[in-house]
Amino acid sequence: MLNSQPNAEARRLDALHKLNLLDTPSSEAFDRITRMAASLFKLPIAAISLSDANRQWFKSRVGVEHDSIPRLRAPCGQIADSSDVLVIPDLAQDDYYRDSLLAAQGIRYYAGAPLTTNDGHCLGAMCVLGTEPRDTAPEELSALCDLAGMVMAQIELQHALGRVDAVSGLPNRHQYIEDFHDLQLDAGDNEQRLAVLLNLATPDQLNHAARAMKSTYLDELVTEGARWLREEIGRGQRIYHVATAQFMLLSPPGRTLAEWLPKVEARMQRAQIIARTHHVATPSAGVVPFEVHHDDALSVLRKARSAAFDAMARPSHVAVYSHEEDALYQRRFNLLNDFSAALTSRDQLRLVFQPRICVATGACLGAEALLRWNHPTLGAVSPGEFIPIVERSGLAQATTAWVLDAALRQQQTWRQAGMALQVSVNVSAANLSEDGFADSVHACLARHHLPPDCLELEITESAIMEEPLKAHATLADIAALGVGLAIDDFGTGYSSLSYLQKMPADVVKIDQSFIRDLEHGARQQALVKAMITLSQDLGHRVVAEGVESEAVLAFLRDAGCDEAQGYLFAAPMEAPAFAAYLRW
């Protein structure tokens, strides 16, 4: 009864495996058809049976506990070979099937209709079975064929319309979500599973490749990644193509993290070798333990992606989902979204001011304007938390514009009260690459009727390094306005000495990491003294940040430092308190 054409059988099996149906969770879309068949024939057993090489696997079943039987002497296997309808009124009276497994289990009646693809491959059968012999009416057989057609329509629909990725040939994100829902319907109570997401390359690598490589590069990367995964994982495990260069798989029940993690790490080692050899790519993998009935499909996918991105910084390029890391990332994301509203709010953002003191005389020469945020539900958010997030986002330019306007508005108020001093405002890397930034600074000064020398902009070396040529052109335009420029956090950048020569800066601010505990370190004192001398020899005034003790101030005075800033003199103050500080 076996197919006499091995090549035809190989093609049939290939067509079956490409559909990615075998060993997938039960699906309500198919179960409805199976229940309809059992009801129509008034029989206890019905199944959608797929004929694999050596087994009959049931995509859907009614009245059957097991999910597969051997293909040998299985009537559905005969249908796969012949692509014809098969009816066996009584297996016990059939010369071939009386010794079959089904007959031994008490099955007497069988009727099956072929499940045939549009290109003629028979995948298996829509079948009904009974424990008593019976005849089959022509209208019953016609209905069974209609049900088989409904099964194939569902299969073709899932495969052709938005369920399979055209490049990888793997089930896509939509199919993953549907299968996850079916898994929840079929899973036992408190069932634990693992999800693994493979990221083929970092976002930067994909962006650079899109700009530098031919248009087929990404398709080749995805195709090879999918092929490698199929070979590594095997046909018994379903793999989903959930994003451009991301693949997802779920563990079988009973697998533990301790068991699976070493296997993932070993496979990632092989993936790294292949990626370095064939592609400019760095794969990473995120592993997420989850409870089937507690987590939803998109939550598991999001957590797996979070772990995969964390894995990019790990030596093994594998990371297990961390609730703490994820919560921190979500907080940052939410803060960034909320900050956009804060920029247009009247009561969330404000400036505080910290005085800059002349080391020789103790007089206040200026103030640094510092941004503070009072979140409507979280309260005061530390600038150390929100400023780095904002500076790396698209809100950086708008934030500088807000701070600049607020600082100059306060400057105008003070000047009208007879207090003339320079105010410093921090500038981000985004501002230095912004077209027309110098013009916007000039316009803000004009709007508040203030002279350019009332303002100083503080720039870090790292900000300049992002786009050096553009940054230097912008700084030259600002210096031409007469606005002061300061190198902030001096000593922490890439090449401090070279930038001292190139930047049109008036002031160098030595980072507080060099000033803190200065009185206790001879090597640190020598370094700070050298910084002061070198900067002044190149024509810059020097400001020491983070001064908190009289001993440090005494050292800076002896070393010839020009200005100091820190808690020894005053913490950052609200504008009225700063005005009172000046009058005192």
Side-chain angles (χ1 to χ4, degrees):
M1 306 280 296
L2 293 178
N3 197 318
S4 59
Q5 301 180 30
N7 289 338
E9 173 65 2
R11 289 194 295 270
R12 189 195 71 80
L13 288 173
D14 185 58
L16 173 62
H17 292 145
K18 280 183 177 178
L19 290 171
N20 294 292
L21 287 169
L22 293 171
D23 300 299
T24 58
S26 61
S27 168
E28 182 62 20
F30 292 104
D31 290 346
R32 290 192 191 100
I33 302 173
T34 309
R35 291 194 298 267
M36 190 183 303
S39 175
L40 179 67
F41 277 79
K42 297 181 175 59
L43 290 173
I45 303 171
I48 296 172
S49 175
L50 302 178
S51 300
D52 202 357
N54 298 304
R55 61 173 178 156
Q56 292 296 141
W57 183 79
F58 305 133
K59 173 61 182 173
S60 177
R61 62 193 190 274
V62 171
V64 182
E65 293 297 326
H66 42 270
D67 60 9
S68 67
I69 61 172
R71 183 175 171 180
L72 182 64
R73 293 184 186 273
C76 293
Q78 180 180 340
I79 293 177
D81 291 333
S82 66
S83 297
D84 291 329
V85 173
L86 175 65
V87 177
I88 307 172
D90 188 352
L91 271 70
Q93 301 300 318
D94 188 276
D95 291 340
Y96 186 77
Y97 288 109
R98 65 164 52 102
D99 298 324
S100 68
L101 175 64
L102 288 180
Q105 292 176 339
I107 300 300
R108 299 290 296 276
Y109 173 79
Y110 174 91
L115 302 173
T116 307
T117 65
N118 290 333
D119 50 3
H121 297 296
C122 183
L123 307 178
M126 173 77 250
C127 60
V128 290
L129 302 91
T131 56
E132 299 292 337
R134 80 189 291 275
D135 294 324
T136 308
E139 58 269 22
E140 288 181 320
L141 205 55
S142 177
L144 187 62
C145 290
D146 286 342
L147 291 173
M150 292 170 62
V151 171
M152 285 309 304
Q154 185 65 33
I155 290 173
E156 296 289 350
L157 180 68
Q158 291 193 2
H159 187 73
L161 299 180
R163 299 294 180 175
V164 174
D165 184 85
V167 177
S168 67
L170 294 174
N172 65 10
R173 182 174 177 268
H174 298 297
Q175 189 63 55
Y176 157 74
I177 294 171
E178 183 169 308
D179 286 352
F180 195 99
H181 176 68
D182 291 335
L183 173 64
Q184 290 179 315
L185 294 175
D186 200 45
D189 293 339
N190 302 317
E191 183 172 310
Q192 304 286 323
R193 294 288 188 101
L194 297 166
V196 178
L197 184 134
L198 173 66
N199 205 42
L200 294 182
T202 68
D204 283 346
Q205 288 170 343
L206 292 177
N207 290 336
H208 292 324
R211 295 184 64 179
M213 305 293 285
K214 57 185 179 181
S215 58
T216 58
Y217 170 83
L218 184 57
D219 287 352
E220 292 169 359
L221 176 66
V222 169
T223 301
E224 186 169 338
R227 185 187 305 117
W228 177 81
L229 273 171
R230 278 192 290 260
E231 292 171 354
E232 283 285 324
I233 305 303
R235 286 177 173 170
Q237 184 73 45
R238 198 165 205 193
I239 306 163
Y240 301 94
H241 190 175
V242 293
T244 302
Q246 292 180 345
F247 299 93
M248 183 89 154
L249 60 100
L250 305 178
S251 75
R255 299 296 191 270
T256 65
L257 184 62
E259 176 187 355
W260 250 45
L261 189 57
K263 294 179 181 179
V264 174
E265 290 175 339
R267 284 172 172 150
M268 284 305 298
Q269 288 180 359
R270 294 194 288 273
Q272 294 293 328
I273 295 171
I274 295 171
R276 285 194 295 267
T277 304
H278 297 90
H279 302 279
V280 183
T282 307
S284 61
V287 183
V288 184
F290 67 95
E291 184 178 323
V292 175
H293 291 295
H294 181 266
D295 295 282
D296 61 70
L298 294 180
S299 173
V300 171
L301 179 57
R302 186 192 63 77
K303 291 175 181 178
R305 281 179 173 151
S306 177
F309 280 111
D310 288 341
M312 293 176 187
R314 306 285 175 84
S316 65
H317 295 278
V318 177
V320 178
Y321 170 77
S322 164
H323 175 75
E324 291 74 18
E325 289 291 328
D326 189 41
L328 180 60
Y329 181 85
Q330 288 192 67
R331 177 178 168 88
R332 290 171 181 163
F333 182 80
N334 291 331
L335 284 176
L336 185 59
N337 282 339
D338 293 345
F339 192 81
S340 179
L343 284 170
T344 58
S345 169
R346 293 187 175 184
D347 58 358
Q348 291 191 43
L349 300 180
R350 72 187 194 283
L351 294 182
V352 294
F353 300 88
Q354 187 171 36
R356 273 176 34 183
I357 304 300
C358 175
V359 172
T361 67
C364 179
L365 303 179
E368 181 177 0
L370 300 166
L371 184 61
R372 294 294 183 264
W373 181 17
N374 190 52
H375 191 280
T377 57
L378 300 176
V381 182
S382 166
E385 181 179 16
F386 77 82
I387 295 234
I389 301 171
V390 171
E391 286 187 339
R392 292 192 297 268
S393 76
L395 297 176
Q397 295 170 342
T399 302
T400 299
W402 190 98
V403 172
L404 186 62
D405 185 72
L408 292 182
R409 186 167 58 251
Q410 184 60 59
Q411 174 78 293
Q412 185 184 52
T413 300
W414 283 337
R415 290 203 166 217
Q416 289 173 351
M419 295 181 290
L421 72 164
Q422 191 179 62
V423 173
S424 301
V425 170
N426 291 281
V427 171
S428 71
N431 296 119
L432 298 184
S433 59
E434 178 183 351
D435 290 334
F437 178 62
D439 292 337
S440 65
V441 172
H442 181 262
C444 195
L445 287 165
R447 187 164 61 250
H448 292 286
H449 308 288
L450 292 170
D453 62 358
C454 79
L455 175 66
E456 179 182 80
L457 300 182
E458 298 188 9
I459 308 101
T460 64
E461 295 173 67
S462 57
I464 299 168
M465 282 296 293
E466 291 198 14
E467 289 191 54
L469 294 178
K470 181 70 174 175
H472 279 286
T474 299
L475 293 174
D477 290 341
I478 292 171
L481 295 175
V483 172
L485 291 172
I487 305 175
D488 197 16
D489 300 337
F490 180 74
T492 61
Y494 304 87
S495 49
S496 302
L497 296 182
S498 64
Y499 278 100
L500 275 182
Q501 300 178 68
K502 297 176 182 178
M503 275 188 62
D506 311 287
V507 171
V508 168
K509 300 187 76 174
I510 300 177
D511 187 71
Q512 59 184 332
S513 61
F514 295 96
I515 304 301
R516 195 179 297 117
D517 299 325
L518 183 62
E519 67 270 33
H520 302 303
R523 292 170 61 88
Q524 194 170 338
Q525 290 175 3
L527 179 60
V528 170
K529 190 169 185 177
M531 287 180 177
I532 294 170
T533 301
L534 179 61
S535 299
Q536 289 175 338
D537 286 347
L538 292 173
H540 306 294
R541 289 180 59 81
V542 180
V543 180
E545 297 182 292
V547 178
E548 298 182 358
S549 71
E550 289 289 352
V552 170
L553 179 61
F555 171 83
L556 293 172
R557 187 180 293 112
D558 292 341
C561 186
D562 299 292
E563 298 178 38
Q565 182 178 339
Y567 278 72
L568 175 63
F569 311 106
M573 295 174 280
E574 306 290 341
F578 185 83
Y581 173 86
L582 285 181
R583 286 192 291 268
W584 182 82

